Amino acid sequence: MDREETSARIAALIEPFNKKGVAVTDATRFTDDLEFDSLTVMDFVAAIEDEFDIIISMNAQAEIENYGQLVDAVVKLQG
Amino acid sequence: MTEAVNQPDQPETLVGGEKDLFSKFDSLIQMRTDLLSTGVTDPFGMVMERVVSPTVAICNGRETILLGTYNYMGMTFDPDVIAAGKQALDDFGSGTTGSRVLNGTYAGHKAVEQALCDFYAMDHAMVFSTGYQANLGIISTIAGKGDYIILDIDSHASIWDGCKMGDAEVVPFKHNDIEAMEKRLRRIPEGAGKLVILEGVYSMMGDIAPLKEMIAVAKKYGAMVLVDEAHSMGFIGPNGRGVAEDQGCLDDVDFVIGTFSKSVGTVGGFCVSNHPKFEIMRLVCRPYVFTASLPPSVVATAATSIRKLMDGKAKREHLWENSKVLHKGLTDAGFQLGTESPQSAIIAVIMPDLERGAAMWEALLHEGLYVNLARPPATPANMTLLRCSLCAEHSAEQVQQIIGMFTRAGKAVGILG
Ligand SMILES: Cc1ncc(COP(=O)(O)O)c(C=O)c1O
């Protein structure tokens, strides 16, 4: 799956978690801009893992701060 | 410094002060300041002036029933336990001044490890200076680079810290969710080592894990299983070995982690296992090697207590009775509890918010009752909880008294209608 398609699918998944309707770009940060707390992060990560049938370990999550980094990580994890 | 004194007209330092390494704690400091400015007693600064028994202490000059000490089996004042500690002080001195692998293994350390082997009917037992260090040491040592740790999201801080200290990939799943756990196990790359970490009783809400089902799934995927039974030892299971024993799956647990700081009534931690190579842990586990061993009096009290817990059937039954009565009493009074039915000796009372939780905690203290206040971020779903832990030494009358205190305090604070 290419980056564009991956991004589109993640964008759809982020919708229910984007409570404030923030316009999401590659630079959007999960904690600072979307105000995700640890519980939201867990549910959101689980949704992505299920959608793409991958594991995003805590170690990998620690490297991901914004949306663009997440898309890149998911593209890479799909191999 | 002197300069500041000489410049009285300069504006005072702004709130938060100069930015330094402590700036990251500003929001927490603010939260505490706000809470304390409402006039409540600091819930994290209580001092017990005198301890009368496992269930009663003098706090702030007032006789107080203890309902938040995890002293489940009330062993802290057991005459045999105390006598063993005194004897060990006389015979072996006040401390070992050394690591377990150097000069810190006395006869008493071997004796308490044997008591644990007998208690759990397992081949190996390794005693650490605390339960925190047992988790830290075992987890960080057995799961290394390239291995995967699959753990419940509501795991105790010591488990998380053990994960952080090691080099394994850490993958949490939703609390007690068997399907979520299985999905993650299924996705782990072929050939990677796997460690599943669960707890018997989760201490925040007092709920237990469906260990039998979860361990069966873990084994299906070839994972090793570690279960922290800190809050079930001595109480749950036919022999008090914990939730895994109660559910008939202890044989499938590779490592049981436990503590002496709850049912055993002293301090210390341990891991028991049947793994044939387990003894190598003593040389490679850094939180075991690079710290001093427990004092002789502590291991003597622990060994005596553990052996007495082996036949604590009557006490276990009374503790269950206490949990059931308190759970029903609080439910009937109108409180919202962490579990629908009593599952352990912990009963979590859910507070509407931190302010009213702290007010309720203080009102209870004025009534003469101590419970544990748990607040975000240590709690699941960022709840504020009043955690109650019952003791086998609480009398039936005390439990009734406790229900009365909760009801009065709940009305005074406006939590009950
Ligand atoms: C689940 C769990 N594991 C480990 C520990 C640590 O035990 P200790 O007090 O011996 O460090 C605790 C309690 O503090 C606990 O609740």
Side-chain angles (χ1 to χ4, degrees), chain A residues 37-39 42-43 45-47 49-61, chain B residues 148 153 160 167-175 183-184 186-189 380-382:
Chain A
D37 60 18
S38 59
L39 283 170
M42 182 188 66
D43 289 339
V45 168
E49 288 178 328
D50 288 351
E51 173 79 14
F52 296 95
D53 202 26
I54 53 172
I55 285 182
I56 311 175
S57 68
M58 303 272 286
N59 321 47
Q61 288 172 39
Chain B
Y148 279 74
I153 191 89
W160 284 110
D167 297 316
E169 296 291 322
V170 181
V171 183
F173 62 86
K174 191 168 165 221
H175 178 55
K183 276 186 194 161
R184 280 157 188 79
R186 190 165 44 72
R187 292 175 189 144
I188 292 174
N382 289 330

Side-chain angles (χ1 to χ4, degrees), chain B residues 140-290:
Chain B
S140 67
T141 309
I142 62 178
K145 202 159 181 57
D147 298 330
Y148 279 74
I149 296 173
I150 317 296
L151 80 168
D152 191 290
I153 191 89
D154 285 351
S155 293
H156 188 259
S158 56
I159 293 174
W160 284 110
D161 291 358
C163 292
K164 203 159 180 180
M165 193 168 131
D167 297 316
E169 296 291 322
V170 181
V171 183
F173 62 86
K174 191 168 165 221
H175 178 55
N176 274 353
D177 189 328
I178 303 169
E179 200 192 324
M181 181 186 86
E182 172 152 24
K183 276 186 194 161
R184 280 157 188 79
L185 279 165
R186 190 165 44 72
R187 292 175 189 144
I188 292 174
E190 192 107 18
K194 307 177 192 81
L195 174 66
V196 167
I197 304 181
L198 306 167
E199 293 181 31
V201 173
Y202 286 86
S203 67
M204 281 295 162
M205 303 299 265
D207 59 329
I208 59 169
L211 288 182
K212 197 174 175 64
E213 292 83 358
M214 296 183 101
I215 291 171
V217 171
K219 289 290 154 186
K220 191 172 109 189
Y221 289 90
M224 287 190 130
V225 176
L226 179 151
V227 179
D228 183 331
E229 296 268 19
H231 293 275
S232 55
M233 181 187 185
F235 170 42
I236 297 178
N239 296 292
R241 290 172 192 160
V243 176
E245 184 195 26
D246 200 43
Q247 298 183 3
C249 54
L250 186 55
D251 285 346
D252 291 321
V253 177
D254 298 280
F255 312 97
V256 174
I257 296 282
T259 174
F260 297 162
S261 75
K262 306 186 197 300
S263 287
V264 177
T266 174
V267 65
F270 62 87
C271 179
V272 291
S273 176
N274 281 328
H275 197 288
K277 299 180 193 167
F278 189 72
E279 292 299 320
I280 196 65
M281 281 290 124
R282 294 188 201 272
L283 296 184
V284 292
C285 184
R286 297 169 64 90
Y288 178 83
V289 175
F290 294 101

